[in-house]
Amino acid sequence: MATLLFCCSSSPKPYLSSTTTGFRSRRATLPTCCSSTKPPQFNLQDKKLSKFGLKECAFSIALAIGLVTSAVELNLSAIASPFGGPVLPDVSVLISGPPIKDPNALLRYALPIDNKAIREVQKPLEDITDSLKVSGVKSLDLVERNLRQASRSLAQGKTMILSGIAESKKEHGKELLDKLENGMDELQNIVEERNRDAVAPKQKELLQYVGSVEEDMVDGFPYEIPEEYSNMPILKGRAIVDMKVKVKDNPNVQDCVFRIVLDGYNAPVTAGNFVDLVERHFYDGMEIQRADGFVVQTGDPDGPADGFIDPSTEKIRTIPLEIMVLGAKAPEYGSTLEELGLYKSQTRLPFNAFGTMAMARDEFANNSASSQVFWLLKESELTPSNANILDGRYAVFGYVTENEDYLADLKVGDVIESIQVVSGLDNLVNPTYKIAG
């Protein structure tokens, strides 16, 4: 039986944090990992979901009834979801699967490519993760089966894979495929030696080669940005940032660096806005403003404004809601998928992974996002993978790919010491941070 956590309280601005904090520019050398004496833990019973109101409770109760009774359709058109707009009428959409929860896998599948051969190599290598969950030496037999399937797919599909690589990246792609083949041989030796502990690190290395090959298949930016948004900061590709957070009053975690991959292929305006703010040092010194066991949120600057005030206009800079639908050639702008009638469509950047990064906005204003961002912390009946009440309503533009589990240790008042762009800054066009003032 499904169990839901119900919390009721009122708030005038449910998803734009009402807490305002000062910020200051501060740079620091980044460590490579979190310092911790034991795995991060958090107790949901100690968290208060202070941003949920009565409508949210009504929605939660109705959804729980639907899940428990396995109802195919609930008549909830008069009840707003906690994230604005009517809830999905088909509950079966909410519990579809199987989900992909690994952020790196989600990023690989989100690339704008269509090459079946490389996907047939990728899938069995990813399945090694599930094989390793089996206890004892039997797991290695399953890993060997996954590896044979991946090796066979690479041998049979190598020509098709090479043909899909952009002409300017052919040589690099060939080098990567050679490394992939050699790595598979090394993994085979690891399996034969029954060295179970060495499997996962080698799997990660092989999937990094696969991901790099897939990135080499992208030749330029795949579509035109709508004219009304074309002068905004736009990330035409991907960028990687490191976010260093100073954790207060926690003996288990002191400093942590979260690596985040920002996806401009599927959210170019949203990701571009964030990178532009990062380069302005907008977030440096800012506190975490919401941490309730459901999301971690920041980005509300000091003062009455809810977002970033552009010094060139002296007004809050807002960006449109930007959602890329699976199978579409370009994102949808300004409307939720429900408003577009795309109730069962899946998003290319779903809220599947722990640490999914998205833009906060006013509940009833689709194009009100500015600088406030949040990271999803937990999965529940309200946020099942593949199709949930967040997908299609909020703009996802990246995933935390390293140390994401430590997000659960963050709390209100912890300080973002710095966010630095590690790579991909050259993909940002129309940067406003270069403008004096």
Side-chain angles (χ1 to χ4, degrees), residues 97-296:
I100 299 173
K101 299 180 182 180
D102 177 60
N104 290 296
L106 290 168
L107 287 163
R108 286 189 288 269
Y109 283 111
L111 286 167
I113 64 172
D114 183 17
N115 190 288
K116 183 180 178 182
I118 191 64
R119 297 300 195 199
E120 289 179 348
V121 176
Q122 174 183 333
K123 181 62 166 61
L125 290 178
E126 291 173 344
D127 289 344
I128 289 174
T129 300
D130 290 331
S131 296
L132 288 175
K133 294 177 182 177
V134 177
S135 60
V137 295
K138 184 179 179 181
S139 64
L140 292 174
D141 295 333
L142 297 174
V143 169
E144 187 170 24
R145 184 186 304 171
N146 299 143
L147 182 58
R148 284 200 304 268
Q149 183 179 350
S151 298
R152 183 168 58 250
S153 295
L154 179 58
Q156 295 174 349
K158 191 171 184 179
T159 300
M160 182 180 294
I161 293 171
L162 285 170
S163 68
I165 296 174
E167 209 53 49
S168 61
K169 305 174 184 177
K170 288 283 188 188
E171 289 304 315
H172 184 242
K174 290 178 182 178
E175 292 176 10
L176 289 170
L177 289 177
D178 289 341
K179 290 179 179 180
L180 180 58
E181 285 181 316
N182 293 334
M184 286 182 176
D185 291 338
E186 293 168 0
L187 181 54
Q188 180 62 41
N189 292 334
I190 289 171
V191 173
E192 290 174 357
E193 293 169 1
R194 316 308 278 175
N195 186 356
R196 192 178 189 278
D197 292 340
V199 172
K202 179 57 68 172
Q203 175 208 22
K204 181 178 179 180
E205 177 188 325
L206 298 181
L207 284 171
Q208 286 175 340
Y209 293 144
V210 170
S212 296
V213 169
E214 292 173 347
E215 288 182 17
D216 283 349
M217 291 179 173
V218 182
D219 189 10
F221 195 71
Y223 54 87
E224 293 293 327
I225 304 295
E227 185 176 355
E228 59 264 43
Y229 312 125
S230 60
N231 291 325
M232 292 182 170
I234 296 169
L235 187 66
K236 290 192 171 183
R238 286 182 173 171
I240 298 175
V241 300
D242 280 350
M243 180 175 72
K244 182 182 180 183
V245 180
K246 180 67 176 179
V247 181
K248 298 179 180 179
D249 304 322
N250 189 329
N252 304 318
V253 181
Q254 288 79 48
D255 298 288
C256 196
V257 176
F258 300 95
R259 176 149 290 189
I260 306 169
V261 178
L262 308 173
D263 189 350
Y265 290 122
N266 296 289
V269 177
T270 310
N273 175 72
F274 182 77
V275 173
D276 190 70
L277 292 177
V278 166
E279 287 300 297
R280 287 177 175 270
H281 311 308
F282 176 83
Y283 298 99
D284 293 1
M286 187 173 285
E287 292 184 353
I288 298 299
Q289 297 157 353
R290 177 182 176 187
D292 54 15
F294 183 60
V295 300
V296 167

Side-chain angles (χ1 to χ4, degrees), residues 20-26 277-278 280-289 298-303 305-309 311 371 415-417:
T20 57
T21 61
F23 65 92
R24 59 193 180 279
S25 179
R26 177 164 52 178
L277 292 177
V278 166
R280 287 177 175 270
H281 311 308
F282 176 83
Y283 298 99
D284 293 1
M286 187 173 285
E287 292 184 353
I288 298 299
Q289 297 157 353
T298 192
D300 189 354
D302 192 16
D306 290 327
F308 166 66
I309 297 179
S371 60
V415 178
I416 298 173
E417 292 192 355

Side-chain angles (χ1 to χ4, degrees), residues 333-362:
Y333 288 94
S335 300
T336 66
L337 295 192
E338 290 93 333
E339 290 168 347
L340 294 170
L342 302 174
Y343 297 104
K344 295 188 178 183
S345 296
Q346 294 186 6
T347 57
R348 192 171 286 277
L349 297 177
F351 280 93
N352 281 19
F354 191 99
T356 300
M357 185 176 187
M359 291 299 299
R361 62 174 177 82
D362 186 75

